[in-house]
Amino acid sequence: MRRKLPSTQALVCFEAAARHESYTRAAQELSLTQGAVSRQIAALEEFVGIVLFRRTRHGVALTDSGRDYARQVARRLDGLELDTLNAMARQHSGHSLALAAVATFATRWLIPRLPALALRHPQITVNIETRTRPFLFSDDGFDAALYAGTPEQVQNWPGTSAVLLMSEEVLPVCSAALLQGRGTLTPAQVAELPLLQQSTRPDAWRLWFEAMGVQAAHWQSGPRYELFSMSATAAAHGLGVALVPRMLVAQDLARGDLVLACDRTLRGSRGYYLVSPERRDPPAALALFRDWLLECASAEAP
C-alpha cells in the first residue's frame, strides 16, 4: 500500500494554485469554490509537513519549498495525463503508435509523408513526442523511436533493436543574398562567411573543413542553435551558413529559400534509425509502420 501519496485532487488544486499564485484563479480553472481549493491545499500542507504558500496583501505566494515541490508535481501530473491519454487511445484503436522522434526529422521529413501512410493504412494513428537522446522504453511508454546517431550509439542502447533508415549526408546552405551574386563557393571561401553552429553537433564544422582539406581558424565562431530547423531558418534569413542534413532541407532548396553555399558534401557515420524495444508483443501497427518507413527511405536513397 502506498502510504506517502497525497490525493490527486489535492495535487491538482496545488498545481493550479501554484501556476497562478492565486486560489481564486485556480478555483475558476477547476470549477471549484475558493474554499474548496484552500481546504485541499491545507490538507496537502499537513500531509507533506511543508508550508507551500505564504499569505500576502494581494493573496498568496509560493514559498521556496512550495516552488520546488510545484515543479515536481506539475511534471508528474503532465506525465500521468499523457499516460492516461495513451491508454485511452489504445483502448479505442488497436493501431495506435506512440513514437519518440528527433524534432526536425519529425517535422521536416516524417510528418509531410504521413498522409501517404494514412492512405495505405488508415487504421494507424501515429502520436509523436520529441526526444533527442536514448531513454528507457520501460519508463516512457513509447512503442518506437526515430533516432539520429552513430551505429555505436544505437548498439549501446540497451534492450532495443534498430533498423537503419538512411545515412546522413550534410551540406552547407545559406540564403542566395549571402552569396552576393556569386555561384557556389569553395570550402576556403565558406570559412570566411558567418558559420551557424549546431549545439548538438559542436564538432560538425571542424569535421567538414577537415574532410575538405581546409584549415578554418574560426570554425567554432557563430551563433548556436539547438535544432536543425532553427539553423536552416537562420540561414534562410541571411544570418550565415548552416551545415545540415540534405533530407531536412530538400524542400527549402527546391523552393529557393536556401541555396548551396558549396557543393561539397560530407557523408558521416551518423544515420537515422527506427529503434524499438525488444518485446514479445509489439503493437500490430509497428511492423506496418516500419515497412512503410523503409519503403519511403529506399525510394529517396541516392
Side-chain angles (χ1 to χ4, degrees):
M1 180 178 178
R2 298 183 183 273
R3 301 181 182 277
K4 292 299 181 183
L5 287 180
S7 77
T8 304
Q9 180 70 5
L11 293 174
V12 169
C13 288
F14 169 60
E15 188 276 333
R19 186 160 23 88
H20 296 297
E21 284 201 300
S22 167
Y23 288 4
T24 301
R25 293 180 63 184
Q28 292 170 346
E29 177 181 311
L30 300 173
S31 299
L32 298 172
T33 65
Q34 181 179 347
V37 170
S38 179
R39 286 191 295 274
Q40 290 288 345
I41 293 174
L44 180 61
E45 288 180 322
E46 181 178 356
F47 186 92
V48 298
I50 296 172
V51 177
L52 301 172
F53 290 94
R54 55 182 174 80
R55 294 285 178 179
T56 70
R57 288 189 303 169
H58 305 291
V60 295
L62 284 164
T63 63
D64 290 342
S65 297
R67 185 170 290 103
D68 291 341
Y69 189 44
R71 281 195 294 267
Q72 300 297 325
V73 168
R75 186 179 303 120
R76 284 162 174 78
L77 286 178
D78 287 343
L80 182 60
E81 183 178 33
L82 178 61
D83 292 342
T84 303
L85 290 172
N86 287 338
M88 293 168 65
R90 290 177 187 279
Q91 177 183 0
H92 296 296
S93 172
H95 294 85
S96 175
L97 285 177
L99 183 69
V102 285
T104 305
F105 187 77
T107 55
R108 295 206 168 201
W109 191 89
L110 176 62
I111 292 175
R113 289 163 176 78
L114 286 181
L117 175 68
L119 287 175
R120 180 175 298 185
H121 301 295
Q123 75 278 20
I124 295 179
T125 300
V126 181
N127 304 308
I128 304 173
E129 285 190 50
T130 300
R131 292 291 188 280
T132 58
R133 291 178 173 82
F135 54 87
L136 293 178
F137 279 94
S138 58
D139 291 343
D140 286 80
F142 289 108
D143 299 309
L146 285 174
Y147 174 69
T150 64
E152 292 75 21
Q153 288 173 320
V154 173
Q155 290 169 6
N156 292 330
W157 194 337
T160 67
S161 58
V163 176
L164 176 65
L165 300 175
M166 62 187 76
S167 297
E168 186 177 86
E169 179 188 38
V170 295
L171 68 168
V173 297
C174 64
S175 69
L178 192 68
L179 298 182
Q180 297 179 337
R182 296 176 289 179
T184 54
L185 307 178
T186 67
Q189 290 173 316
V190 171
E192 299 172 358
L193 295 175
L195 303 178
L196 305 180
Q197 306 291 329
Q198 191 77 25
S199 59
T200 54
R201 308 279 184 91
D203 294 328
W205 276 116
R206 178 183 62 80
L207 295 173
W208 187 82
F209 283 119
E210 285 180 356
M212 301 303 121
V214 171
Q215 290 189 350
H218 305 292
W219 65 268
Q220 286 182 305
S221 299
R224 297 185 179 278
Y225 302 95
E226 182 181 8
L227 303 177
F228 279 124
S229 57
M230 296 177 179
S231 299
T233 301
H237 285 80
L239 293 177
V241 184
L243 192 63
V244 294
R246 181 187 293 275
M247 90 281 288
L248 301 183
V249 292
Q251 293 299 318
D252 303 82
L253 292 169
R255 291 192 303 265
D257 296 337
L258 290 170
V259 298
L260 289 177
C262 175
D263 58 9
R264 303 279 298 277
T265 64
L266 175 63
R267 184 180 291 270
S269 60
R270 286 178 176 269
Y272 288 83
Y273 294 84
L274 178 67
V275 182
S276 56
E278 294 177 341
R279 49 189 289 188
R280 295 179 180 178
D281 57 342
L286 183 56
L288 297 175
F289 181 67
R290 181 185 62 241
D291 292 345
W292 173 79
L293 274 179
L294 286 170
E295 183 179 320
C296 289
S298 176
E300 299 176 21

